[in-house]
């Protein structure tokens, strides 16, 4: 991740690289990712930073270090700094000491690769990270700015990927399912769709993220790293607008009671269209699942008592699981199959059979689209082409959402 600090008193921006916090012991990858996202989120909320992501930056840095086994010389440090293209590097580690989670952050000056600040915090659970992360962020910012705070608005760096998102390159695909696909519905007629490029959240929106923006948590299964659920479609679009406002982006939606319109020119957060969702879920595949012709409960969270197409039964966890608990699809997206259903922008309706570019669904209707299946559902509902729907005010402990950006 790259973080750009923009201070009114500075002639130049301060650029900081923050790789995902590393695990030392006793902490799950999902917990570590949640803490990393909260850390970067707090920087943005303080309005002294903009959080963006450069693909494969850490891998490039590691590769350069490998090439330069003796990279302590000033010349080689300069080369490494040039490859990182950042003024500072924050290295975070997460470990467990007894029942406490310890988060340690070290600030390095990348011009000389010397430590200029080190601080740590202790918490009983990831849920405490909301409050505990603040002083950690404050100390890091003070070290980089000489104690000066900056009320400047976030700065956008072109050509970068927002933290926690992946770039979905545009393309044309066959939406829907073939007539031979087991458990398909007549509503899944195949047709060609072209989708423009967009950014999609790697994970379903977590309870930690939702509560940070909205101030409350409606979920039945509590946990900061669990997906938020029991949210209506209206709740989801409201979250998108609120998060956009907090981060200095243009809200995507105009909300007037139950009348919601979408401004396609806005740069803020929004729900994916149904076409965008299926295109991203498939990640280039044409099989029932991005995992192939079957999906097991070691690959997704669903009711394993009801496997797909007479395959062996699996586990039934009877609850949501932490986001990112299973392997991602080939485009880096987690939990596109199972865990919680995900709201899409579209009204539910029949597909047009004509070739389309960036379709947004029916003009109106009683139901909005849901995709992906949930923890309590049969495997057949997790298929990439499967379509669910519910009234936009409906809520369930198996319904959540993820967000996208243009």
């Amino acid at each position: 991740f790259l973080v750009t600090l923009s201070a009114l008193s500075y002639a130049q921006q301060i650029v900081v690289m923050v790789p995902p916090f590393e695990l030392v012991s006793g902490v799950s990858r999902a917990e570590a990712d949640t803490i990393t996202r909260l850390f970067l989120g707090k920087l943005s909320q303080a309005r002294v930073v903009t959080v963006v992501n450069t693909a494969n930056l850490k891998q490039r840095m590691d590769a350069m270090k490998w090439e330069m086994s003796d990279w302590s010389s000033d010349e080689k440090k300069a080369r490494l700094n040039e490859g990182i293209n950042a003024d500072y590097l924050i290295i975070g580690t997460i470990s467990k000491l007894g029942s406490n989670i310890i988060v340690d952050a070290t600030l390095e000056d990348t011009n000389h690769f010397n430590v200029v600040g080190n601080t740590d915090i202790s918490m009983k659970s990831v849920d405490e990270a909301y409050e505990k992360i603040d002083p950690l962020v404050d100390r890091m910012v003070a070290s980089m700015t000489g104690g000066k705070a900056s009320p400047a608005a976030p700065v956008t760096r072109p050509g970068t990927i927002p933290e926690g998102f992946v770039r979905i390159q545009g393309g044309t695909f066959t939406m829907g399912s073939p007539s031979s696909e087991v458990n398909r519905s007549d509503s899944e007629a195949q047709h060609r769709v072209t989708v423009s490029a967009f950014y999609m959240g790697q994970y379903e929106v977590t309870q930690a993220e939702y509560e940070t923006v909205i101030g409350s948590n409606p979920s039945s299964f509590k946990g900061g790293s669990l997906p938020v659920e029991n949210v209506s479609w209206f709740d989801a679009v409201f979250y998108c607008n609120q998060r956009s406002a907090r981060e200095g982006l243009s809200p995507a939606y105009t909300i007037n009671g139950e009348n919601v319109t979408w401004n396609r020119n806005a740069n803020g957060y929004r729900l994916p269209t149904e076409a965008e969702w299926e295109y991203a879920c498939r990640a280039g595949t044409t099989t029932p699942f991005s995992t192939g012709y079957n999906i097991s409960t070691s690959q997704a969270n669903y009711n394993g008592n009801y496997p797909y197409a007479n395959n062996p039964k699996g586990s039934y966890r009877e609850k949501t699981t932490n986001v990112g608990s299973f392997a991602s699809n080939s485009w880096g997206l987690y939990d596109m199959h199972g865990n919680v259903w995900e709201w899409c922008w579209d009204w539910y309706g029949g597909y047009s059979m004509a070739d389309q570019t960036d379709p947004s669904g029916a003009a109106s209707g009683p139901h909005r689209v849901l995709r992906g299946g949930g923890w309590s559902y049969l495997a057949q509902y997790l298929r990439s082409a499967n379509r669910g729907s519910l009234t936009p005010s409906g809520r369930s402990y198996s319904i959540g959402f993820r967000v996208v950006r243009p």
Side-chain angles (χ1 to χ4, degrees), residues 196-333:
S196 299
F198 61 99
Y199 296 105
M200 177 172 259
Q202 289 182 277
Y203 306 98
E204 294 159 333
V205 172
T206 65
Q207 293 173 32
E209 291 170 325
Y210 190 86
E211 189 165 357
T212 295
V213 173
I214 302 299
S216 60
N217 182 3
S219 305
S220 296
F221 305 104
K222 300 296 186 184
S225 299
L226 294 173
V228 68
E229 19 89 2
N230 268 331
V231 285
S232 69
W233 184 89
F234 291 116
D235 294 332
V237 296
F238 182 69
Y239 170 89
C240 290
N241 272 9
Q242 292 297 102
R243 182 169 172 181
S244 297
R246 290 175 70 92
E247 298 182 20
L249 302 172
S250 302
Y253 302 118
T254 299
I255 303 173
N256 183 11
E258 294 190 352
N259 182 32
V260 181
T261 56
W262 170 19
N263 175 11
R264 286 181 176 261
N265 295 319
N267 66 351
Y269 297 96
R270 62 177 177 83
L271 297 178
T273 65
E274 186 177 17
E276 288 172 332
W277 192 97
E278 184 173 328
Y279 177 69
C281 177
R282 288 189 176 280
T285 64
T286 59
T287 47
F289 311 94
S290 65
T291 55
Y293 288 94
N294 185 37
I295 192 165
S296 70
T297 55
S298 65
Q299 296 170 309
N301 183 21
Y302 66 92
N303 188 340
N305 293 317
Y306 301 95
Y308 186 66
N310 296 317
N311 282 287
K313 290 185 178 182
S315 304
Y316 181 29
R317 298 174 179 88
E318 302 185 54
K319 59 183 179 181
T320 56
T321 50
N322 287 340
V323 300
S325 294
F326 305 92
S328 69
N329 69 13
S330 62
W331 288 359
L333 300 168

Side-chain angles (χ1 to χ4, degrees), residues 233 260 343-348 366-370 388-390 392:
W233 184 89
V260 181
W343 286 112
C344 293
W345 160 257
D346 310 44
W347 289 107
Y348 182 87
H367 294 158
R368 294 283 184 173
V369 170
L370 289 163
S389 66
L390 189 67

